C-alpha cells in the first residue's frame, strides 16, 4: 500500500488547479450532467455521478436506461486515461453534434478525446496504453486511483460552492437499496 500511496501522492502537485476550477465551474453551470467512461474508469465515473446526485445536481450515467435526451447547456464528462477509447470518442462526437459541452478527465491531453473536449483536466499518470511505464502498478491503475481522488476533491470544492454539508447530502442518499 505504501508504494501505491506514494505514487498517487506524487501526482497531486502535478494537477493544474486552473483545470480543476474550470471543471467545477462547468459542472455548476450545466443544466444536466452525463458521466461516462469504460472499464475501471467508468467505475470511477459512476462513483462521481453518485456524489453529484448527493449534491443535488441533475446527473445520469451514459448508457443507463433512465438517461434522458441531451439539451444545450448539458455537460458530458468522460473519464479516459488514454483518451482513445472508441466508445467514448463516439459519445463525445454525439455530444458535440448535439451542442453539449464535453469535459474530459484524461492522462493524455493530445489524444483524440483531448482534441474534441471543450475542457480537459489532466491527471499525468500512466494509462493502460502508455508506452512509457511510470508506475509499478499494472496498466491504468494509477490513473484510475487518481481519478477517484480527483473526483472526490471536486466534490469537496462543489460542496463549498453549493453550501452543502454531509447532512444535506445524506438526505439525498438512496433510501431503498
Amino acid at each position: 500500500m505504501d508504494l501505491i500511496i506514494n505514487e498517487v501522492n506524487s501526482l497531486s502537485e502535478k494537477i493544474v488547479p486552473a483545470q480543476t476550477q474550470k471543471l467545477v465551474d462547468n459542472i455548476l453551470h450545466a443544466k444536466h450532467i452525463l458521466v461516462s467512461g469504460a472499464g475501471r474508469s467508468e467505475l470511477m465515473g459512476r462513483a462521481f455521478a453518485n456524489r453529484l446526485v448527493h449534491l443535488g445536481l441533475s446527473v445520469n450515467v451514459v448508457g443507463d436506461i433512465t438517461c434522458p435526451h441531451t439539451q444545450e447547456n448539458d455537460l458530458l464528462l468522460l473519464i479516459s486515461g488514454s483518451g482513445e477509447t472508441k466508445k467514448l470518442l463516439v459519445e463525445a462526437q454525439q455530444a458535440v453534434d448535439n451542442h453539449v459541452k464535453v469535459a474530459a478527465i484524461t492522462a493524455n491531453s493530445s489524444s483524440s478525446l483531448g482534441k474534441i473536449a471543450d475542457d480537459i483536466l489532466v491527471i499525468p499518470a500512466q494509462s493502460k496504453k502508455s508506452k512509457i511505464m511510470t508506475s509499478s502498478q499494472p496498466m491504468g491503475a494509477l490513473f484510475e486511483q487518481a481519478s477517484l481522488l480527483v473526483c472526490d476533491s471536486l466534490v469537496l470544492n462543489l460542496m463549498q460552492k453549493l453550501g452543502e454539508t454531509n447532512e444535506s447530502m445524506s438526505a439525498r442518499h438512496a433510501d431503498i437499496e
Side-chain angles (χ1 to χ4, degrees):
M1 271 183 36
D2 288 341
L3 179 134
I4 293 168
I5 291 167
N6 288 334
E7 285 188 354
V8 171
N9 277 338
S10 74
L11 292 177
S12 65
E13 64 193 32
K14 297 176 185 172
I15 294 172
V16 179
Q19 291 177 352
T20 303
Q21 190 55 54
K22 186 174 180 194
L23 183 53
V24 166
D25 291 341
N26 283 328
I27 289 168
L28 288 171
H29 292 100
K31 181 177 179 180
H32 185 77
I33 304 155
L34 300 122
V35 179
S36 189
R40 288 168 46 115
S41 293
E42 179 180 6
L43 296 175
M44 303 309 123
R46 284 180 173 274
F48 186 46
N50 181 245
R51 286 291 184 244
L52 294 176
V53 167
H54 295 156
L55 284 166
L57 300 175
S58 178
V59 183
N60 283 92
V61 174
V62 173
D64 283 354
I65 196 151
T66 58
C67 195
H69 189 88
T70 59
Q71 299 187 18
E72 274 190 66
N73 297 322
D74 285 352
L75 174 68
L76 172 63
L77 173 61
L78 302 166
I79 301 177
S80 174
S82 69
E84 298 296 341
T85 305
K86 299 279 188 238
K87 158 185 139 44
L88 302 181
L89 295 175
V90 169
E91 291 171 4
Q93 191 57 56
Q94 288 174 326
V96 169
D97 293 346
N98 292 330
H99 309 287
V100 170
K101 193 165 202 161
V102 177
I105 296 176
T106 184
N108 186 1
S109 62
S110 62
S111 64
S112 299
L113 179 58
K115 292 173 185 164
I116 295 171
D118 300 296
D119 180 18
I120 301 171
L121 193 161
V122 176
I123 298 174
Q126 173 182 311
S127 69
K128 70 179 179 199
K129 293 186 178 182
S130 295
K131 303 250 189 281
I132 299 169
M133 299 297 285
T134 57
S135 172
S136 300
Q137 300 179 68
M139 299 177 282
L142 181 57
F143 173 79
E144 296 143 7
Q145 293 154 356
S147 294
L148 180 63
L149 295 176
V150 164
C151 288
D152 279 349
S153 73
L154 293 170
V155 169
L156 290 175
N157 194 317
L158 289 162
M159 283 177 71
Q160 180 183 22
K161 291 188 179 298
L162 293 168
E164 291 290 333
T165 64
N166 187 56
E167 291 76 23
S168 64
M169 290 175 66
S170 292
R172 293 186 195 98
H173 192 284
D175 61 347
I176 299 175
E177 300 184 272

